[in-house]
Amino acid sequence: MDTFNGNHFNLDIDLISLVLIPHIQASIRYKIKECITVVHQEHGHTITKRKAYLGRKRAFEIVHGNWDKSFADLPRYMATLQQFNPGMVVEWKLEWIPGKPEYTFNYVFWAFKPAIDGFSHCRPVISIYDTHVYGKYDIKLLIAVVVDANGQIFPLAFAICANKSQETWTPFLNHLKEHVVKQRSGICLISSWHGGILSSVGNLPAWQEPYAYHRYCVRHLKANFQKAYSNKDLHDLMWMAATDQQQHKFQRHME
């Protein structure tokens, strides 16, 4: 049996994808090495990494759809979420580009009703941050969370946006205030030192009432502190001071 020829004329991308479909259904993070192994077990041929990649890509599209279809389905997906989650809030921002037959996606915000109602029972400290959504398009996921009375992370709201800048942080903070924070005041906002966040908070006078404080994420501070100082004992003291919840312990570590 030929175990080295990855170019067998019958072992094309379509056949490889059929082998991989059940594995992609079980895990979206199915590795190329695993693809090669399972095809070899099934057909006795060791395919190339390129064939494994293309076969996995085809199988993924069959199971989950492609990127363009996913974006096209996003409004229907959000509408379905709203239908089965009464009170859910969704806000869209689309752009009209001359010469294109349809609007271009820019931003969508959403918050579930239990999260909106639960915020009044959480600590008045909101953390906002962003993370990359890896794939064909360079988009970001914005997230707002708080800590509940039991000390657990409580998600408040989310947004998918084309980029993280003042143009996207501003509507996110506005929608967060309008739909979640509402009339509650004395809120502390915690974030990274991102220019878009600083500009958005600074240019929204309406936020000065609910947000009495704006502080920075201690993990970012620690990372910058470690770059500035090489002494590990200082790193540990800084972290203990930053995470202490009692004033006298904080002061002792600072000293």
Side-chain angles (χ1 to χ4, degrees):
M1 182 176 293
D2 178 11
T3 60
F4 298 97
N5 181 14
N7 296 310
H8 192 284
F9 67 91
N10 283 330
L11 199 55
D12 59 12
I13 303 304
D14 290 331
L15 182 57
I16 293 172
S17 67
L18 291 177
V19 175
L20 297 178
I21 283 175
H23 302 280
I24 296 298
Q25 289 174 327
S27 172
I28 62 173
R29 300 188 181 277
Y30 205 62
K31 298 179 180 179
I32 295 295
K33 183 179 180 181
E34 295 171 330
C35 295
I36 295 173
T37 299
V38 73
V39 172
H40 181 269
Q41 292 173 345
E42 184 79 16
H43 293 287
H45 290 272
T46 302
I47 60 175
T48 63
K49 289 184 178 180
R50 175 174 172 75
K51 270 194 170 182
Y53 169 79
L54 294 175
R56 184 182 67 173
K57 181 173 180 290
R58 180 73 56 81
F60 189 92
E61 291 178 352
I62 292 172
V63 175
H64 300 289
N66 58 36
W67 291 102
D68 294 333
K69 184 177 182 300
S70 295
F71 269 96
D73 289 342
L74 190 57
R76 186 174 62 179
Y77 173 75
M78 286 296 178
T80 303
L81 281 181
Q82 283 184 291
Q83 179 182 353
F84 289 97
N85 294 273
M88 176 184 176
V89 174
V90 179
E91 295 278 5
W92 293 88
K93 181 181 178 183
L94 305 176
E95 291 182 340
W96 171 256
I97 300 177
K100 289 194 174 183
E102 55 190 11
Y103 284 90
T104 300
F105 169 81
N106 181 271
Y107 164 95
V108 60
F109 167 97
W110 71 96
F112 295 101
K113 185 66 160 54
I116 296 172
D117 294 341
F119 175 61
S120 61
H121 305 286
C122 295
R123 299 173 187 176
V125 180
I126 297 179
S127 298
I128 58 173
Y129 59 98
D130 62 87
T131 185
H132 295 279
V133 179
Y134 295 100
K136 180 179 180 180
Y137 302 108
D138 183 22
I139 57 176
K140 305 294 185 293
L141 175 66
L142 310 184
I143 307 171
V145 302
V146 289
V147 176
D148 64 19
N150 198 36
Q152 304 299 308
I153 298 297
F154 188 83
L156 284 182
F158 309 87
I160 295 175
C161 58
N163 57 69
K164 55 174 185 176
S165 63
Q166 182 179 347
E167 287 71 25
T168 50
W169 278 115
T170 296
F172 182 74
L173 293 175
N174 270 330
H175 291 140
L176 187 64
K177 175 182 181 293
E178 177 185 358
H179 299 298
V180 181
V181 176
K182 298 181 180 179
Q183 302 304 315
R184 190 174 179 183
S185 60
I187 305 296
C188 178
L189 185 68
I190 296 180
S191 73
S192 67
W193 188 268
H194 186 269
I197 298 176
L198 301 182
S199 300
S200 297
V201 174
N203 293 330
L204 291 174
W207 282 86
Q208 300 305 315
E209 181 181 348
Y211 284 95
Y213 312 97
H214 183 199
R215 299 293 183 261
Y216 302 107
C217 171
V218 69
R219 295 187 181 276
H220 288 86
L221 293 176
K222 181 184 179 184
N224 293 332
F225 190 87
Q226 288 175 329
K227 292 178 182 178
Y229 304 99
S230 59
N231 189 313
K232 187 179 182 303
D233 290 335
L234 282 180
H235 300 169
D236 294 339
L237 285 170
M238 179 270 175
W239 183 251
M240 286 189 289
T243 55
D244 270 332
Q245 298 183 18
Q246 298 182 28
Q247 186 174 359
H248 72 279
K249 291 183 178 180
F250 165 79
Q251 291 174 338
R252 184 174 71 244
H253 288 131
M254 289 297 291
E255 290 169 358

